């Protein structure tokens, strides 16, 4: 029996949480770090504003009797060419049978031994499919990222002919995502008071994409440098008997 899409539940009718505590203390800062740095790039890629980012948000990919069994919640994902809000409402979840557009990239932050994130078990009666299988076969996500904060490692898989192939890092350690024009790599530094090997975005030249805070600090440093240069010039003019204020009139 064929079920009409418009008769199926949408994001306002499906659960937005399973009530489980699933995050460690590094996961939320890690998501913010990724979003803050990539947002200006995505705005350039989508001048019409048609894209959305999910952080530990549910993706409903399969219709099941228990809705949550057909849902998976990546730690971070990006979907191109969809509106950030639906009919003036924020998204409670991302519903594939209504949206039709799969995420371009999903990320899982490993908090255990990584077996759950690499599980390729297909669905069977009484058996939940593994995350790897869902992203590869169930949804068909072009890029799947597995990030391990300990020991500080990232794996990126690219969907080729319906199968994931692991991408090889460049000499600088970054793994490039052509559709986004950026790469992913490990940055060892302090963020939110925690010294960790963080997952960061890099540009084509292998330079870190700054977060909003880092951009503001760079601008502050630039303005301060400019102020100091003006003060030095003014002091030199005064030493020559020239009033710098008269030059500005």
């Amino acid at each position: 029996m064929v079920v009409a899409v418009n008769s199926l539940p949408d994001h306002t009718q499906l659960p937005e949480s399973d009530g489980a505590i699933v995050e460690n203390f590094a996961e939320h800062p890690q998501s913010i770090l990724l979003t803050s740095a990539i947002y200006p790039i995505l705005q350039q890629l989508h001048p019409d504003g048609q894209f959305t980012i999910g952080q530990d948000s549910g993706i409903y990919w399969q219709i099941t009797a228990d809705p949550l069994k057909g849902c998976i919640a990546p730690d971070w994902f990006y979907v191109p060419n969809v509106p950030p809000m639906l009919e003036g409402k924020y998204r409670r979840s991302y519903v594939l049978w209504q949206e039709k557009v799969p995420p371009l990239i999903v990320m899982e932050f490993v908090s255990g031994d990584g077996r759950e994130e690499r599980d390729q078990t297909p669905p069977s009666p009484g058996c939940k499919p593994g995350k790897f299988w869902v992203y590869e076969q169930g949804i068909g996500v072009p890029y799947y990222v597995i990030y391990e904060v300990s020991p500080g490692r990232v794996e990126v898989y690219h969907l080729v002919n319906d199968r994931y192939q692991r991408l090889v890092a460049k000499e600088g350690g970054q793994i490039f995502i052509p559709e986004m024009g950026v790469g992913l790599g490990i940055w060892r530094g302090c963020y939110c008071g925690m010294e960790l090997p963080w997952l960061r975005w890099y540009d084509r030249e292998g330079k870190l994409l700054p977060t909003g805070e880092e951009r503001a600090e760079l601008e502050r440093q630039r303005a301060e440098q400019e102020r100091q240069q003006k003060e030095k010039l003014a002091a030199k003019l005064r030493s020559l008997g020239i009033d710098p204020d008269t030059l500005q009139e």
Side-chain angles (χ1 to χ4, degrees):
M1 181 179 67
V2 177
V3 180
V5 171
N6 58 11
S7 68
L8 295 172
D10 63 17
H11 75 112
T12 65
Q13 300 164 310
L14 292 161
E16 62 180 323
S17 172
D18 62 1
I21 299 174
V22 296
E23 294 185 354
N24 60 47
F25 279 76
E27 288 189 13
H28 184 60
Q30 176 62 80
S31 293
I32 295 173
L33 186 58
L34 289 166
T35 300
S36 179
I38 198 63
Y39 206 83
I41 301 297
L42 297 182
Q43 286 179 313
Q44 293 175 16
L45 289 175
H46 305 280
D48 58 0
Q50 298 298 286
F51 69 92
T52 193
I53 291 173
Q55 298 179 164
D56 199 33
S57 304
I59 299 175
Y60 281 90
W61 64 278
Q62 185 181 46
I63 301 167
T64 53
D66 178 354
L68 287 172
K69 290 185 177 179
C71 178
I72 193 166
D75 291 305
W76 196 94
F77 65 91
Y78 150 64
V79 190
N81 305 317
V82 297
M85 299 180 70
L86 294 178
E87 298 177 350
K89 300 178 181 178
Y90 72 87
R91 296 177 182 276
R92 292 164 55 92
S93 58
Y94 191 77
V95 185
L96 269 177
W97 55 78
Q98 292 195 322
E99 304 279 5
K100 305 291 195 303
V101 181
L104 175 71
I105 184 170
V106 300
M107 300 188 191
E108 291 286 353
F109 308 154
V110 176
S111 56
D113 59 10
R115 280 185 291 183
E116 182 180 353
E117 289 74 17
R118 298 180 179 89
D119 188 354
Q120 301 182 40
T121 303
S124 61
C127 181
K128 185 178 179 180
K131 284 185 176 182
F132 196 102
W133 186 94
V134 171
Y135 294 136
E136 180 190 60
Q137 300 295 317
I139 301 177
V141 179
Y143 293 93
Y144 176 34
V145 178
I146 300 175
Y147 160 64
E148 293 182 88
V149 67
S150 179
R153 177 171 56 202
V154 60
E155 299 173 10
V156 180
Y157 295 88
H158 182 210
L159 194 65
V160 179
N161 297 324
D162 300 323
R163 291 290 179 183
Y164 276 143
Q165 294 182 7
R166 186 173 174 180
L167 298 180
V168 178
K170 294 166 55 178
E171 184 176 342
Q174 295 87 43
I175 302 170
F176 199 66
I177 311 295
E179 292 87 340
M180 299 175 72
V182 295
L184 282 166
I186 299 298
W187 171 76
R188 297 179 185 275
C190 187
Y191 184 71
C192 288
M194 292 182 283
E195 191 80 25
L196 292 172
W198 300 96
L199 182 62
R200 296 286 302 261
W201 299 105
Y202 291 78
D203 66 15
R204 294 178 184 274
E205 285 71 44
K207 297 178 181 178
L208 274 176
L209 292 184
T211 65
E213 292 176 349
E214 290 168 340
R215 290 191 295 273
E217 176 59 21
L218 288 171
E219 176 58 27
R220 187 197 67 77
Q221 291 177 5
R222 186 200 64 76
E224 177 62 18
Q225 186 178 28
E226 184 177 297
R227 184 190 66 79
Q228 291 178 3
Q229 289 173 344
K230 287 182 178 179
E231 286 185 353
K232 287 181 180 179
L233 178 59
K236 185 175 182 179
L237 289 171
R238 289 190 184 98
S239 70
L240 297 173
I242 303 172
D243 185 356
D245 294 332
T246 62
L247 298 178
Q248 296 175 2
E249 296 177 354

